[in-house]
Amino acid sequence: MAAHIRRRLRKGATTTAVAAAAVAALAASQAPAATLADGSAGSGDPKAAGEDTASGETDGAATGNSPYYTDLPPLVTPDKPGSSSNLPAAGRAEAGIPASILAAYKQAERTVATTDPSCRLPWQLLAAIGKVESGQARGGRVDANGTASPRILGPALNGQGFALIKDTDGGAYDGDAVHDRAVGPMQFIPSTWASWGQDANGDGRKDPNNIYDAALAAGRYLCANDRDLALAADLDQAVLSYNRSTEYLRTVRSWFSYYQRGTHEIPDGTGTLPSTPSTPTPSPRPGGGSGSSATPSPNPSPSKPGGKPSPGPSKPGGGGSTSPTPKPPTPKPTPPSETFGSLENAGTGPLRATAGQEFDERVSVLARNAVGAPLAKVPVTFTVTGGTGTLFAGGKKTVTVRTGADGTATAPKLQAGEKAGEFTVTAVAGTGRPRTLTYAATVTARQADAIARTDEKALVAAPGEKFADAVTVKATYKDAAAAGVAVTATMVKDPLGVIDNDKGPYFKDAKGKPVRTLTTLTTDADGQLRLPEIFADDNEGTYLLRLTTEGGASVVIELTVKAPEETTPEEPAPDATETPAAIKP
């Protein structure tokens, strides 16, 4: 009986604690954010402790301290302990997470568990941040690839109540070439995404509007600085690094606890949308303190002695009566034919070129108005982003072109840089709500479409000796000398190079040891390559050397190992002066 009473007491205490925590969180969200006491976040650093930011400074926060949703979970949490996501769909709507969004969080948890197991990232923390930042991508409004449609953008971080962050990406991610905006389901600012962006869905792009990419990036960001998110202090530091507000921390913590008690999967696009965004923190008043978040009443009009308000301007002959306030004219709506509707790809094909070469394809876009017709005279800004050294013709990274009568704008030709790799070309057009298109492009290493020996001399060596004649080849591309092309030399058993040879001729490495494959060879400015010395072992026979270039060109060269032929000395001819032998009768 006593044990039964103790169990009931423990259960009642737990229920009371949960309710108290939820009420405390709800109360906290109704008051202006306050700075945590030193050490409450597990660090004596005031930034780590969560100093609220009004404008100007972001302290490296992933979101730039941009606005977020302050809605709190209901007091009655899902009735299942632990971190299960298998509750029936009949559970509370707030506990439901859209299928693609939930899958992205769990995939991020698995990935981080493989690469950084000591972080112990829980997917419920990603779910809590995703709820607060974007309402789980607006209730799961994503396409089949997990990309938010339309994309999710925060307000311009222009210092008007928010942090002041001038453009860092040329509008590539947020479509704003003046100020940065938080982007995507996890609301990364472009400068943070440039460092932490991930390609989690394997489509070759790091897209902050894709929930898989964004969730993995958020997971890695939260695990930075060797954090162990199973520790409360480290988890608080991680959340505060995302948005340095104590109210933000309390809100995320509330949803984290809520999701830990259980969630269930719901169809994409059916999630519950938050309704209460955070408001900008007012700028500090003279004399210290940020003051109340309430808006002060306007100052009353000056009055005359006696308390009567001063009359307004009088009409001529009106005896001091006040003039009516003129009604501002009603603005006329912009005709649909002049309203920017969309920016589309106008048929741009794959962007691929060899280092140092000109791209055959040019980036082209099509602007349409609100009714889908081509829109002329729209300025379109094209920007090259990446480390390949690629530029537009004329050596520019950014150019602006206006659309023609057919609504299309085509960027100048691209000149590939000398470094192989990937880069992007971003097209941005429109004001107020700019439209953006991003094109992926690739610079490949210099190539050759043909390679051949510069002479036809037979290559022969005796067993254990060195080949006396050097092997020299020339690589060409479109009949022109191909400079800087990588060449691989391999001793093979068959002309196709399918089977490598482990005996016969060989090269020597830096330590003088035999090697039968060289991969560090490059043609010179004239497209020529002189191979290192070739040596023969003790095995006689005819062997094959195969040279292949970047681009697929190849040549097979015969090498012969045989002993020199032995020559028999000839007998000397008889001397004509000698007396012939006596002739017998």
Side-chain angles (χ1 to χ4, degrees):
M1 182 67 176
H4 177 67
I5 293 173
R6 284 197 298 272
R7 283 197 299 271
R8 292 187 61 185
L9 287 174
R10 284 199 298 271
K11 183 176 180 181
T14 302
T15 304
T16 304
V18 170
V23 171
L26 180 63
S29 70
Q30 309 303 318
T35 303
L36 288 177
D38 288 347
S40 61
S43 170
D45 182 359
K47 290 181 180 180
E51 181 177 343
D52 288 311
T53 302
S55 63
E57 296 295 334
T58 68
D59 291 333
T63 66
N65 298 324
S66 57
Y68 57 91
Y69 289 105
T70 61
D71 301 46
L72 290 171
L75 294 179
V76 180
T77 57
D79 189 18
K80 192 176 181 80
S83 56
S84 170
S85 62
N86 299 317
L87 289 184
R92 295 193 62 92
E94 292 85 348
I97 299 179
S100 293
I101 313 304
L102 182 59
Y105 295 150
K106 291 188 173 183
Q107 177 178 298
E109 179 191 60
R110 291 192 299 270
T111 301
V112 173
T114 301
T115 59
D116 189 5
S118 62
C119 175
R120 295 191 282 183
L121 169 73
W123 65 260
Q124 293 90 343
L125 179 59
L126 296 175
I129 291 175
K131 178 71 173 180
V132 171
E133 291 294 347
S134 67
Q136 311 297 20
R138 298 196 194 98
R141 285 162 177 78
V142 296
D143 62 19
N145 296 319
T147 302
S149 181
R151 63 181 179 173
I152 302 172
L153 293 176
L157 299 175
N158 55 12
Q160 302 301 311
F162 309 125
L164 173 61
I165 307 179
K166 294 184 179 180
D167 175 64
T168 60
D169 66 331
Y173 295 121
D174 57 11
D176 191 331
V178 179
H179 297 98
D180 272 350
R181 299 168 182 256
V183 182
M186 306 304 281
Q187 289 289 277
F188 280 96
I189 55 174
S191 58
T192 304
W193 185 258
S195 299
W196 292 91
Q198 304 289 313
D199 176 19
N201 64 349
D203 64 355
R205 296 182 58 212
K206 297 177 181 179
D207 184 359
N209 268 294
N210 182 275
I211 184 59
Y212 292 95
D213 294 357
L216 181 56
R220 295 198 189 285
Y221 183 89
L222 293 169
C223 288
N225 302 324
D226 298 322
R227 295 189 184 106
D228 179 356
L229 300 183
L231 302 177
D234 280 9
L235 189 143
D236 284 353
Q237 288 182 21
V239 175
L240 288 168
S241 74
Y242 218 84
N243 188 312
R244 297 192 181 280
S245 162
T246 54
E247 181 182 344
Y248 179 85
L249 173 60
R250 295 187 188 103
T251 307
V252 169
R253 273 285 199 175
S254 296
W255 283 105
F256 177 48
S257 298
Y258 183 73
Y259 287 135
Q260 281 186 311
R261 297 192 190 313
T263 62
H264 60 269
E265 179 183 298
I266 60 175
D268 288 347
T270 63
T272 302
L273 297 178
S275 60
T276 311
S278 63
T279 55
T281 305
S283 301
R285 292 180 177 180
S290 62
S292 169
S293 60
T295 303
S297 302
N299 293 328
S301 301
S303 58
K304 291 183 178 181
K308 294 182 179 180
S310 301
S314 303
K315 291 184 179 179
S321 63
T322 59
S323 301
T325 303
K327 185 178 181 180
T330 303
K332 296 181 179 180
T334 304
S337 60
E338 299 176 12
T339 302
F340 201 151
S342 64
L343 190 66
E344 305 169 6
N345 186 349
T348 305
L351 295 169
R352 190 179 184 89
T354 303
Q357 302 295 318
E358 192 176 71
F359 281 74
D360 293 331
E361 195 74 19
R362 294 171 67 179
V363 178
S364 184
V365 298
L366 169 63
R368 295 185 184 274
N369 60 23
V371 295
L375 189 60
K377 299 182 180 179
V378 174
V380 181
T381 300
F382 298 92
T383 304
V384 175
T385 304
T388 65
T390 301
L391 299 171
F392 289 113
K396 297 181 179 180
K397 295 187 70 173
T398 300
V399 295
T400 299
V401 180
R402 287 184 176 272
T403 58
D406 61 352
T408 63
T410 302
K413 284 196 170 185
L414 289 163
Q415 181 71 33
E418 290 298 331
K419 185 176 180 181
E422 296 182 349
F423 67 96
T424 59
V425 179
T426 303
V428 180
T431 57
R433 189 169 67 87
R435 279 61 163 180
T436 302
L437 281 179
T438 301
Y439 299 81
T442 303
V443 176
T444 59
R446 290 179 178 270
Q447 300 178 2
D449 54 19
I451 184 171
R453 286 188 66 190
T454 57
D455 62 63
E456 297 296 330
K457 191 173 182 179
L459 299 167
V460 182
E465 299 295 331
K466 179 175 65 175
F467 283 81
D469 297 307
V471 177
T472 303
V473 294
K474 181 174 182 178
T476 56
Y477 182 73
K478 295 182 179 180
D479 297 327
V485 175
V487 179
T488 299
T490 307
M491 300 297 177
V492 295
K493 290 184 178 180
D494 60 298
L496 295 178
V498 177
I499 305 174
D500 292 354
N501 210 336
D502 57 358
K503 65 180 181 179
Y506 60 88
F507 303 102
K508 288 185 178 180
D509 63 13
K511 296 181 179 180
K513 295 182 179 181
V515 292
R516 290 184 168 87
T517 297
L518 295 178
T519 59
T520 58
L521 307 173
T522 306
T523 59
D524 61 18
D526 297 322
Q528 294 194 10
L529 169 65
R530 181 186 176 94
L531 294 184
E533 292 179 327
I534 303 175
F535 301 85
D537 63 9
D538 295 332
N539 298 285
E540 294 190 34
T542 300
Y543 298 90
L544 301 178
L545 168 62
R546 189 169 191 263
L547 304 179
T548 57
T549 71
E550 188 78 32
S554 65
V555 62
V556 176
I557 301 169
E558 284 192 358
L559 301 172
T560 303
V561 180
K562 68 177 183 178
E565 296 181 357
E566 293 184 5
T567 57
T568 303
E570 296 182 0
E571 293 184 1
D575 192 344
T577 61
E578 289 183 359
T579 303
I583 300 175
K584 293 183 179 181

